[in-house]
Amino acid sequence: AISAPCQGSGVLRLAMGRRGRPPASVTRPARGVFARGAQEGEPSAPAPFSPRSMGWQTLSASLRQWDSGAPNGETEAVAVVEELLDRGDDAEALRLFGQALDPSLAGSGTQFLQQLARTEGAKCRCDAVWYGDTIAYGCKTCGLSSASCICVFCFDAGEHEGHDFYISRSDYGCCDCGDAYAWRPSGFCRHHPGPRREVDPALQLPEATRRRAGLLIPAQVRRLAERFQPGSFPASTPSASSASAPGAVAADATDAADATGAVDTTGAADVADVAEEATDVGDVEGVAPEGGLEEGLARRPNLRRRGRAEPWALPAKRVLVTGINLRMTEEQLRDFFVSRVGLHLGSGASVGDQVPPVLAVELVRDRDTKASKGRAYLAVRDEAALQAALALSGETLRGSRLRVFASAEDIAAAEKHLQAWEANFDWLLSLGGFHDGLRKIIGRVCLDVPPSGAQSAVEVFLRHSHMMEPSVRKLETNLLVDLMLDLEFKHRFAQVFTRLYRELVLARAGHQDTNELGDFTCQIFTRQDVTLELVRDHDLVGNLLGCLWDLLRPALAERAVPPIFNHESNIFKDHEIIQCSMDLLYVLDHAEVAREIIRSPKLRNDLWEGWLRILLAMQGMNQHERLAGAHVEFTSPAWGNALTLHTDLMSNTWLILDAVELESGSDAAQDMARRAWVALRDWAVQACGDGDGHEAPGLRASFHTPVNRILALLVHHLCVHGGAGSTLDSNDNNATRSTRSALASVGLAEEADVLRFMEHPLRAIVLHGQVAAGMWRRNGEALENESEFYRMNYWHHLFADMDVLIAQLAAMALRPETFFSTVLARFELRSFLNPGDPFVPLMQQTDEFFMQKLQSFTVFLYQLLSVHSPLSLTFRQLVTHTTRQFLSVGPKSHSQLWDPRLERSTATATAKDQQMLEAALREISTFSQADGAGHSSAKYHLREDQWVGVDPHFHLFSWGEQQKAEENLLAALKAGGQTLSEWVEASMRLRPEPFEAFRAEFRAFSSCAMLQAFCWLLLAKLAFRYLKDDGAMVDGRLLVLTLHLTMRSLQTPQPDEAAEAADEEEPLAIVGDEDGAQLLALARGMGPNLRASARRRFRVLTRSFFGPTLLLERTPSIAAAESDAPMAPGGADVGERPTHTDLSLLDVVERLCASPG
């Protein structure tokens, strides 16, 4: 399995690629004491009376007595083992234990174990685990999840010809070959047949080996667990005392090497060499030996300071620093210590501004892998620099707490302590790799609770792992991950881990860079059977969400009502919640687990209660209020924190909703929607009060309204699929499903409730439109960036798409008058609701952005009337439609079109989205290869027969993209010999029908009187009133948008296609009086649809609808009404005009066709 948080750029699809370091083959290479034994050519010949010889003789003799059945044989053997452990030489004791596993007791333990590893049945599954950039193989044919993978060795040894496989790179993972829960048995390689439930691998060990392992391993594990006690690590050297005397550096390094045994301490020797090279004559202050420092620096370039180096004598001091993050390089460490030590010294920290305070930094590395062991030796210039280095003890670097040791005694004690821990963990890790039976015994011992009732070793390790030194923690993690290759251990370990999960995550708060828990959760929560049991019986969901809330609670803004997260909190900057977020993804990504949660009322309650509590605190994050003063020059990048939190948590909701859809026959959706509405209503009352929220234009707005969007998706589900028994109306079991009945079934029966539901998503839509229109430039570029993410690939699923859906649901549920009055107010177009001419702000120049607001509102209505939306299409169909629109702007690469709902490489939902995109591209596009010279990349192009489905005003387009799509559409029509009217007719024939639950209400809104009146009013004003000097339209974009909106309304199918007869003899209404709103007056006179209303003639106030520069021509379409000043024939007398003029929409169209612009 691949650990997603460490995967970086995710899966790379490659036909071929370089092969990384081959993971372990059939026989894992010997490590630690086993490796040294093999290299030394066992059996070695120790001195006859050396402690080593005596120890082996005593241990082997006691084991022979035990094997012979002596009465006190086991007791004496236990006593010998305890005595060996008490001597304090862990490496030697563990070496003897390894030799003792040889049944013959011939002293050739490593050779015996290597032979044991080659016996039949020794390895039922691959135990390759990798850290660092590594190549692995995934196979969609064999893998059971998108996280499944196998190592290069197993792929080569398996049969995958003709399979859908790919190469991936990951920073951490383990091979799944032989694991039937992650990889299909048909894809196992020939070396790893997989475990058999009826076979205990421990019973396949030689009997003597099994018996001795049952004695030696518990003693070693028990002793190891006892080491992890508070304060067990040696204390750092106090910064107030001197660390070493002049002239003692080289001796200190030698003493330390002698004291620490055989483990590699190359760094200490190197630092000693450096000190000697730098001075040539020891450590005599004030002496500048000839060529001393210059020669030493030349021999060791990493000591040379940036600039020049001078031959000054140095009183070099040596310190040991532990707790170093394993990802830190020597260069990074050197920069850190030079900077921080210099800062403590309060100056440039150099002798004559020429010699740096830190002369050298040497990482201690693993003898075999050369990887960092999390500690380093520093050579510092003098006593002052040494004291400054000691002052850094306790500071945190890259999530890891530093410890600094200076005296020879402190350094030796620290090294000995670390090496003992490393040796013990390494011994267990290596031992388990020789045979599955040994791994089984180690796992049982670690999990078994001792008779004293104390904690098991696993619990001790987990509880203390965050306090371990990095190298020790890495070995501990590797050991536990390796033990999880045994399915019994993984099952039991998962229970312990889940019980401790909250404690473990919170203990690592603030230290995410050193968090190893993802290595465990990747192994546990990717197993569906294990995860299902943890969810059912061990409160895994409650643990995850409770832990997530505990992590987020410190980020709540002080005294905020309702509670809201402060997006500038360090909680988000430090990525504190990524662990819980990924673990939730692992759990919910199992379809059966998610369905079980939805089916079970208790589990569903636990999930929804914890989920809503978090999402409610995200409501309204990073709110904006339009600035009218000085321009904000520098904006905080913290806006990205709110976006990341929203996407990390909200995106997991898709997995919940997928489960809800699969359980469409249950009452889960209705129950979840009701609870979401109750929570949202309480939040809305606190946020806006009990009123309707129509306080004033320029309201504070936020792009973050996750609860509204979840509620919209649940209501949509109820409309399309219904609730339990397909009943939404409790009074009529046979009631037809509709938007109103669905909303009422979850508590939104009143218009005031629907308005609350729509309020904040509507503000986000308005904010996005106004930012695009340039109305928020004074707020700085951060808001512009955030607004772009609102509509971008991947994010639009969570933001723009959901808000448009909410507006559509509200438009179908509210009375048109209520909807239009609310929406016009939010778009700051209240003049359309006031008496008189709605274009007064334009005429009086009181609103410089009036036309931009009107354009945004018009395109908003146009988008509400789109049937290519969740009202008519499944998600798969929406993927095709959206991809078609993206390609209409221009050719795109695959990465530009990649648009998943859930951007997680380990999520099954992401894999499904990928398949949908591939299917869409095959249907609607052609592919052009890259030219190979780097001039053009591989691109997808929209097929010629797909332009009929292009929407030039698609809701995800910017204004520039709208224009580009329209230009490309016209060019494609011209190239194909088609006219725009033919394109319109063809598009109408391909319009999908809304789902039954939405059909009647959608058609009613699309042809409602308010919408008809708005189209009529704008077209009439643009045709006759607001013209340029030459008679052309004052705003061509607004005219085009209004015409598109009008056509969409006209395209709406009606129950009765026969248009209502219009009375041309008597106008139906007088429009333009000062005591009423023109929009409302027009709406009162509209027919059932725009086809019928187009013939109706309205008596309008002439001076309100006709511009002074327009010469009125008497035509059959425009007649003067009875007035005190009849219209002059032929327009000869333009000074005298009639008070009123009769006008129809057909007259308006005639005028538009004759317009010079």
Side-chain angles (χ1 to χ4, degrees), residues 717-1009:
H717 173 86
L718 290 173
C719 289
V720 176
H721 302 285
S726 297
T727 292
L728 296 178
D729 190 334
S730 59
N731 297 320
D732 184 1
N733 290 339
N734 297 316
T736 301
R737 289 174 292 177
S738 67
T739 306
R740 289 190 181 92
S741 61
L743 289 169
S745 72
V746 300
L748 288 87
E750 304 295 332
E751 281 197 336
D753 293 328
V754 179
L755 288 173
R756 283 198 181 98
F757 170 49
M758 179 182 68
E759 175 63 29
H760 290 274
L762 177 59
R763 292 188 191 185
I765 292 174
V766 174
L767 174 61
H768 175 65
Q770 292 183 348
V771 170
M775 296 173 57
W776 291 70
R777 287 198 179 97
R778 293 182 184 275
N779 288 65
E781 64 177 8
L783 178 56
E784 296 178 5
N785 294 333
E786 188 177 5
S787 183
E788 277 297 293
F789 277 100
Y790 179 77
R791 68 174 187 90
M792 286 178 61
N793 287 25
Y794 167 47
W795 284 276
H796 70 84
H797 297 297
L798 301 170
F799 293 94
D801 291 357
M802 293 298 97
D803 290 348
V804 171
L805 175 61
I806 292 170
Q808 288 179 315
L809 294 174
M812 293 186 291
L814 294 168
R815 290 180 299 115
E817 296 80 4
T818 303
F819 178 79
F820 269 81
S821 62
T822 302
V823 174
L824 283 167
R826 288 294 165 268
F827 276 87
E828 302 177 22
L829 295 170
R830 288 180 178 274
S831 60
F832 279 82
L833 304 173
N834 297 331
D837 188 352
F839 282 75
V840 166
L842 177 66
M843 296 298 294
Q844 298 180 353
Q845 298 182 352
T846 57
D847 187 348
E848 62 175 317
F849 294 106
F850 177 78
M851 294 305 290
Q852 289 92 329
K853 294 175 183 177
L854 196 51
Q855 290 173 6
S856 294
F857 179 70
T858 305
V859 78
F860 167 69
L861 291 179
Y862 169 84
Q863 291 161 356
L864 292 186
L865 267 58
S866 173
V867 289
H868 291 90
S869 69
L871 303 184
S872 308
L873 304 179
T874 64
F875 182 72
R876 181 179 294 274
Q877 293 169 329
L878 282 171
V879 169
T880 301
H881 178 69
T882 302
T883 306
R884 183 186 293 115
Q885 308 316 309
F886 289 159
L887 288 174
S888 72
V889 179
K892 304 286 185 184
S893 65
H894 191 280
S895 60
Q896 291 173 315
L897 294 170
W898 176 229
D899 186 28
R901 294 175 301 165
L902 184 60
E903 183 59 76
R904 291 288 189 274
S905 56
T906 56
T908 303
T910 307
K912 292 178 181 177
D913 290 350
Q914 172 71 20
Q915 295 168 6
M916 292 181 192
L917 175 61
E918 298 296 340
L921 290 173
R922 287 193 297 269
E923 176 185 347
I924 67 175
S925 71
T926 59
F927 182 72
S928 64
Q929 297 283 356
D931 62 5
H935 299 297
S936 64
S937 58
K939 294 288 182 68
Y940 291 91
H941 303 257
L942 191 64
R943 280 173 26 188
E944 293 181 2
D945 61 347
Q946 293 298 314
W947 287 98
V948 68
V950 168
D951 178 0
H953 301 289
F954 186 54
H955 72 282
L956 299 180
F957 284 168
S958 65
W959 289 111
E961 288 169 335
Q962 289 181 23
Q963 182 176 351
K964 185 65 176 175
E966 190 169 351
E967 292 173 353
N968 291 342
L969 172 61
L970 293 175
L973 294 178
K974 183 177 180 180
Q978 286 183 290
T979 64
L980 190 59
S981 60
E982 291 173 337
W983 172 79
V984 172
E985 292 177 2
S987 299
M988 286 182 60
R989 290 193 296 269
L990 296 177
R991 280 168 53 97
E993 278 292 317
F995 295 126
E996 182 182 357
F998 304 120
R999 193 170 302 155
E1001 292 166 322
F1002 180 79
R1003 290 173 176 175
F1005 175 76
S1006 299
S1007 57
C1008 70

Side-chain angles (χ1 to χ4, degrees), residues 302-332:
N302 67 328
L303 302 183
R304 184 181 295 276
R305 188 186 181 196
R306 292 181 180 89
R308 61 197 183 99
E310 299 293 343
W312 295 92
L314 299 177
K317 309 291 181 179
R318 179 178 64 93
V319 296
L320 169 66
V321 181
T322 68
I324 297 171
N325 188 298
L326 298 179
R327 298 186 183 95
M328 293 289 291
T329 65
E330 283 187 351
E331 183 68 25
Q332 291 171 332

Side-chain angles (χ1 to χ4, degrees), residues 578-590:
I578 191 171
Q579 183 66 61
C580 288
S581 174
M582 284 305 308
D583 294 342
L584 274 170
L585 172 66
Y586 286 138
V587 172
L588 297 174
D589 194 37
H590 298 296

Side-chain angles (χ1 to χ4, degrees), residues 356-406:
V358 178
L359 303 176
V361 176
E362 296 282 349
L363 274 174
V364 178
R365 301 182 182 276
D366 183 88
R367 181 190 299 273
D368 301 318
T369 66
K370 306 305 179 185
S372 168
K373 302 193 77 170
R375 52 190 182 272
Y377 283 91
L378 273 62
V380 295
R381 186 191 61 212
D382 52 24
E383 180 66 23
L386 183 143
Q387 292 301 321
L390 289 175
L392 298 179
S393 189
E395 289 200 12
T396 299
L397 175 61
R398 292 275 297 273
S400 191
R401 184 172 176 269
L402 302 178
R403 293 185 176 95
V404 183
F405 304 87

Side-chain angles (χ1 to χ4, degrees), residues 34 70 191 289 465 568 627 667 694 754 893 896 918 950 991 1136 1144:
F34 299 109
H191 303 294
S465 58
E568 296 185 347
L627 300 179
D667 60 354
H694 296 180
V754 179
S893 65
Q896 291 173 315
E918 298 296 340
V950 168
R991 280 168 53 97
E1136 296 183 0
S1144 73

Side-chain angles (χ1 to χ4, degrees), residues 21-32 34-35 38 110 114 117 123 127 368 426 429-431 433-434:
R21 172 183 58 84
S25 58
V26 181
T27 303
R28 176 184 290 181
R31 286 176 47 87
F34 299 109
T110 302
Q114 291 175 340
K123 301 284 186 72
D127 57 3
D368 301 318
D426 193 63
L429 179 62
S430 300
L431 186 64
F434 287 112

Side-chain angles (χ1 to χ4, degrees), residues 260-445:
T260 53
V263 175
D264 183 19
T265 54
T266 306
D270 286 347
V271 172
D273 293 343
V274 170
E276 184 175 346
E277 291 173 12
T279 59
D280 266 354
V281 292
D283 186 14
V284 182
E285 295 190 47
V287 178
E290 182 179 355
L293 178 60
E294 186 68 28
E295 183 180 351
L297 291 173
R299 286 194 294 270
R300 294 190 179 271
N302 67 328
L303 302 183
R304 184 181 295 276
R305 188 186 181 196
R306 292 181 180 89
R308 61 197 183 99
E310 299 293 343
W312 295 92
L314 299 177
K317 309 291 181 179
R318 179 178 64 93
V319 296
L320 169 66
V321 181
T322 68
I324 297 171
N325 188 298
L326 298 179
R327 298 186 183 95
M328 293 289 291
T329 65
E330 283 187 351
E331 183 68 25
Q332 291 171 332
L333 282 174
R334 183 161 48 252
D335 291 344
F336 171 79
F337 283 112
V338 168
S339 171
R340 296 307 304 274
V341 170
L343 182 64
H344 275 274
L345 292 176
S347 66
S350 60
V351 177
D353 197 31
Q354 296 171 349
V355 181
V358 178
L359 303 176
V361 176
E362 296 282 349
L363 274 174
V364 178
R365 301 182 182 276
D366 183 88
R367 181 190 299 273
D368 301 318
T369 66
K370 306 305 179 185
S372 168
K373 302 193 77 170
R375 52 190 182 272
Y377 283 91
L378 273 62
V380 295
R381 186 191 61 212
D382 52 24
E383 180 66 23
L386 183 143
Q387 292 301 321
L390 289 175
L392 298 179
S393 189
E395 289 200 12
T396 299
L397 175 61
R398 292 275 297 273
S400 191
R401 184 172 176 269
L402 302 178
R403 293 185 176 95
V404 183
F405 304 87
S407 69
E409 295 79 6
D410 291 343
I411 291 174
E415 278 285 6
K416 184 176 181 180
H417 210 80
L418 285 171
Q419 290 166 15
W421 278 343
E422 291 168 351
N424 278 275
F425 278 122
D426 193 63
W427 185 77
L428 289 171
L429 179 62
S430 300
L431 186 64
F434 287 112
H435 196 284
D436 288 347
L438 293 172
R439 181 182 289 113
K440 171 76 75 174
I441 294 173
I442 295 170
R444 287 173 178 169
V445 169

